[in-house]
Amino acid sequence: MSAEGNSAVGEHGVSKRVKAPNRKASKPESRLAMVRRARKINRELAEVFPYAHPELDFRNPFELLVATVLSAQTTDLRVNQTTPALFAKYPTPEDLAAAVPEEVEELIRPTGFFRAKTKSIMGLATALRDDFGGEVPGRLDDLVKLPGVGRKTAFVVLGNAFGVPGITVDTHFMRLARRWKWTDQEDPVKIEAEIAEIFPKSEWTMLSHRVIFHGRRICHARKPACGACPITHLCPSYGEGETDPEKARKLLKYEMGGLPGQRLNPPPGYPGRPAPPPGASD
């Protein structure tokens, strides 16, 4: 079925008409054409998600750093429901470094892998206390030396707490970068390097947010909502998911599907509903 005339969800969840994907290309896409298409995807995602933001609740670099470490192998929603109690009891690196591990484990148990995560966040808190005067450093080389902190976590903190551009290559970003034929790499560091050559540095942080938003809301891993996607005309993988517009709309998540987002305290301008705290009924 042609995608011409599909009703796709656009800015703030409003339906809009989308162009039909071009299926006539018979020769391989040139590097220049791919770069132009990639940058157009970024521009169009900026129109669809003008409110894209980090989906972890935080008030300072320390909270963002800890929350990002806790977000491994779980949802941002689960982390956001867990960290208020953690930060109420341990608001500073000094407090967390001096904590009783078993008490920290109990607080972060809902995020999974709580013993390993306790070791990481207490270790990074100790390093911040002992090596950085209790402050989160604003340099990549320093951040990746902290326990449990890799390049992905470091770029989340740098981009959103310090304004330093970085590309956050999480599972959503990796999946979409390959679906859109921006890269065929599997290694996150290699993907990061290739994407960095496509986009200007000033776009890196917001590009990450937009791609991750799109991956969570529309271009899902198992069943992409192709029929409700506003960039089908730019996607070489159109048709991997549900192409029927009505069926595709039922696959939309968070604010696109009229459901709560992942943050208990979303930033101003977010069009969706805040997520419920633990134990609250939706």
Side-chain angles (χ1 to χ4, degrees):
M1 180 175 68
S2 171
E4 183 69 48
N6 280 4
S7 179
V9 175
E11 182 177 349
H12 296 192
V14 178
S15 295
K16 67 176 187 178
R17 311 292 281 189
V18 300
K19 302 175 185 176
N22 182 3
R23 300 289 169 250
K24 296 181 180 179
S26 58
K27 60 182 180 179
E29 184 178 42
S30 68
R31 165 75 181 180
L32 178 59
M34 182 276 288
V35 170
R36 287 174 172 169
R37 179 172 56 81
R39 293 182 177 184
K40 189 170 184 180
I41 287 176
N42 182 42
R43 291 194 299 271
E44 296 203 10
L45 289 181
E47 296 179 3
V48 177
F49 303 113
Y51 50 84
H53 60 271
E55 294 190 87
L56 290 167
D57 286 326
F58 70 98
R59 296 171 295 184
N60 54 57
F62 173 62
E63 290 190 358
L64 179 57
L65 177 60
V66 171
T68 306
V69 171
L70 294 179
S71 70
Q73 303 299 313
T74 191
T75 63
D76 286 355
L77 171 58
R78 183 59 57 87
V79 174
N80 291 337
Q81 293 173 328
T82 301
T83 50
L86 178 70
F87 294 138
K89 190 166 185 178
Y90 310 111
T92 69
E94 292 82 359
D95 294 323
L96 184 55
V100 176
E102 291 76 14
E103 294 180 0
V104 177
E105 288 177 1
E106 194 58 33
L107 284 171
I108 70 169
R109 181 183 292 268
T111 68
F113 303 96
F114 57 91
R115 291 189 179 89
K117 290 180 179 180
T118 293
K119 185 177 180 180
S120 292
I121 65 174
M122 291 190 65
L124 70 84
T126 300
L128 293 177
R129 180 195 64 190
D130 296 346
D131 302 332
F132 297 99
E135 299 292 331
V136 175
R139 295 177 63 248
L140 176 65
D141 290 346
D142 292 330
L143 284 169
V144 296
K145 293 176 183 176
L146 299 173
V149 178
R151 291 178 69 86
K152 182 185 78 171
T153 295
F155 281 132
V156 169
V157 174
L158 289 172
N160 298 290
F162 293 100
V164 177
I167 297 172
T168 302
V169 183
D170 72 350
T171 56
H172 301 287
F173 194 101
M174 287 192 288
R175 179 177 73 253
L176 270 61
R178 289 196 292 267
R179 277 184 179 164
W180 292 335
K181 311 302 181 186
W182 294 356
T183 180
D184 59 5
Q185 298 289 343
E186 299 284 341
D187 178 76
V189 176
K190 292 180 180 178
I191 292 174
E192 176 197 324
E194 290 199 358
I195 303 305
E197 294 180 355
I198 298 173
F199 298 93
K201 192 172 183 178
S202 60
E203 285 290 308
W204 289 355
T205 298
M206 286 309 301
L207 169 73
S208 300
H209 291 325
R210 293 164 191 152
V211 173
I212 292 169
F213 255 58
H214 192 68
R216 284 177 168 168
R217 286 151 176 78
I218 299 175
C219 196
H220 312 135
R222 295 182 181 177
K223 199 169 186 180
C226 292
C229 178
I231 58 167
T232 55
H233 56 295
L234 298 170
C235 181
S237 299
Y238 172 80
E240 286 188 9
E242 179 59 65
T243 58
D244 179 84
E246 292 306 314
K247 292 180 180 178
R249 286 182 65 83
K250 294 178 182 178
L251 300 174
L252 299 176
K253 295 183 179 179
Y254 305 114
E255 78 280 1
M256 291 297 188
L259 303 171
Q262 298 197 81
R263 293 188 67 163
L264 278 66
N265 298 294
Y270 175 64
R273 289 183 284 150
S281 58
D282 181 20

